[in-house]
Amino acid sequence: MTSLDLAQERTYRLTQYAHGGGCACKIPPGELESVVAGLAGSQQAAAEDLLVGLDDGDDAAAVRISADTAVVSTADFFTPVVDHAYDWGRIAAANALSDVYAMGARPVVAVNLLSWPREVLPFELAKEVLRGGADIGRQAGCPVAGGHSVDDPEPKYGMAVTGTCAPESLLRNDAGRAGLPLSLTKPLGIGVLNSRHKATGEVFDEAVATMTTLNAGAAADAVAAGITCATDVTGFGLLGHLFKMVRASGVSAIVDSAAVPYLDGAREALRDGYVSGGTRRNLDWIRPHTDLSAVSEQESLLLADAQTSGGLLVAGEVPGAPVVGELVPQAEHLITVR
């Protein structure tokens, strides 16, 4: 970090210029589904080559353009999740790329999406945000070519990303089958640690490292293993994204809470009350469909914790990733936590 960066970070705490942070500021899943509910069928009927659209709330859209190629497209942006501008850029870019990896695709081009309060925050900070995004793009082998910006009361940053894959290699959230194990490729706890950072300014290096780690390797391993069902774990938390997977696949899931990994300090942040409104809304959304009787309310909140640039939840075994549960035939509860 340069001396200029240090001076800016001391003067401007980016998380204080937004009402929420990262994927925790997403529109609640129940409200979002009610908005898009009438659009899904009409979109599918209009494009026979649309492989994945609005129907099941998957991570990105996928369209077949030839017998051996599908184009995968996504957009993702959010308010600052950390105070350091360069790190925020890296995190937001990794998070946007994750939607493409979660579909089993390779990103080929990205464009920036930037909202900036130009009369409040200096453009030197915006430059650092964009530099962080560009560096993650280079790491992913994905050119970042232009984009769009607007003057906005709150800073926001992300990317629209386009990728490609073979149609038969597509990972989707409706392809789960009973009997498959569930693997999780990154630890949870990002949400509560980010909430603590926003409130106190404490920096959690492990959380930043986790959020800036690309899901490229995990996605490649899943495709190589012949896995067809996956999603990434972001703003709706582990339980929220798992709920969407099992609902779309027509199965249920059992989660082994003792097998779920967490970042250092996550339980302490939860204990001290650093829980976002987004996390509480996630838990309220899945509660009617989930048997949580075997775990505490605190444990349930961690499992619903709103992640930013989290890992992949894969229906299958991924090398190096813990197995945190399994898919089972559809039962009374779509999810049972043990």
Side-chain angles (χ1 to χ4, degrees):
M1 187 184 298
T2 67
S3 58
L4 177 61
D5 293 336
L6 285 170
Q8 290 171 335
E9 187 171 29
R10 293 190 186 106
T11 304
Y12 300 99
R13 288 198 56 210
L14 289 179
T15 58
Q16 306 307 296
Y17 291 85
H19 73 286
C23 289
C25 67
K26 293 173 75 168
I27 293 174
E31 294 179 23
L32 185 61
E33 287 188 344
S34 68
V35 170
V36 303
L39 304 176
S42 62
Q43 293 296 312
Q44 188 68 47
E48 60 182 21
D49 289 324
L50 183 65
L51 302 177
V52 178
L54 284 169
D55 291 9
D56 295 313
D58 221 318
D59 296 296
V63 179
R64 187 195 312 270
I65 60 171
S66 71
D68 58 0
T69 304
V71 169
V72 173
S73 180
T74 188
D76 209 311
F77 62 96
F78 46 66
T79 53
V81 69
V82 294
D83 290 327
H84 189 233
Y86 175 73
D87 283 344
W88 174 35
R90 293 196 299 146
I91 291 165
N95 183 76
L97 289 162
S98 181
D99 285 344
V100 172
Y101 293 131
M103 302 293 289
R106 178 180 67 88
V108 295
V109 68
V111 292
N112 290 309
L113 303 171
L114 178 69
S115 297
W116 201 255
R118 47 186 291 274
E119 296 184 357
V120 177
L121 292 174
F123 275 113
E124 290 86 355
L125 287 177
K127 183 177 180 179
E128 284 298 292
V129 174
L130 295 173
R131 185 171 71 88
D135 282 354
I136 287 292
R138 276 190 288 274
Q139 184 180 335
C142 175
V144 181
H148 185 68
S149 63
V150 296
D151 188 352
D152 191 300
E154 285 189 330
K156 303 177 184 73
Y157 175 64
M159 288 178 170
V161 187
T162 300
T164 60
C165 70
E168 64 271 15
S169 298
L170 196 65
L171 301 176
R172 47 196 300 162
N173 71 357
D174 64 354
R177 304 189 313 277
L180 290 174
L182 290 167
S183 301
L184 180 64
T185 68
K186 287 184 183 180
L188 302 184
I190 291 169
V192 289
L193 290 175
N194 285 345
S195 293
R196 186 164 204 150
H197 171 71
K198 179 177 173 65
T200 68
E202 296 173 76
V203 176
F204 299 97
D205 292 335
E206 186 185 13
V208 172
T210 298
M211 290 186 285
T212 55
T213 297
L214 295 174
N215 284 324
D221 287 343
V223 171
I227 291 168
T228 58
C229 182
T231 185
D232 66 349
V233 179
T234 53
F236 300 150
L238 173 65
L239 293 182
H241 288 283
L242 177 58
F243 171 61
K244 293 172 71 174
M245 176 189 286
V246 296
R247 183 180 60 180
S249 298
V251 296
S252 288
I254 295 173
V255 175
D256 179 2
S257 60
V260 176
Y262 289 97
L263 292 168
D264 290 343
R267 292 190 179 278
E268 290 78 9
L270 174 72
R271 177 200 64 203
D272 293 340
Y274 295 105
V275 180
S276 69
T279 291
R280 296 188 186 280
R281 290 189 291 270
N282 289 341
L283 187 55
D284 289 342
W285 180 53
I286 59 90
R287 198 186 294 274
H289 315 283
T290 306
D291 181 358
L292 296 164
S293 59
V295 294
S296 67
E297 182 74 1
Q298 295 293 87
E299 195 75 19
S300 299
L301 283 167
L302 278 178
L303 292 169
D305 189 38
Q307 306 299 281
T308 296
S309 193
L312 300 185
L313 178 64
V314 179
E317 291 198 45
V318 177
V323 171
V324 299
E326 64 176 325
L327 299 180
V328 297
Q330 194 169 77
E332 176 186 356
H333 291 100
L334 289 183
I335 302 173
T336 298
V337 181
R338 295 178 176 170

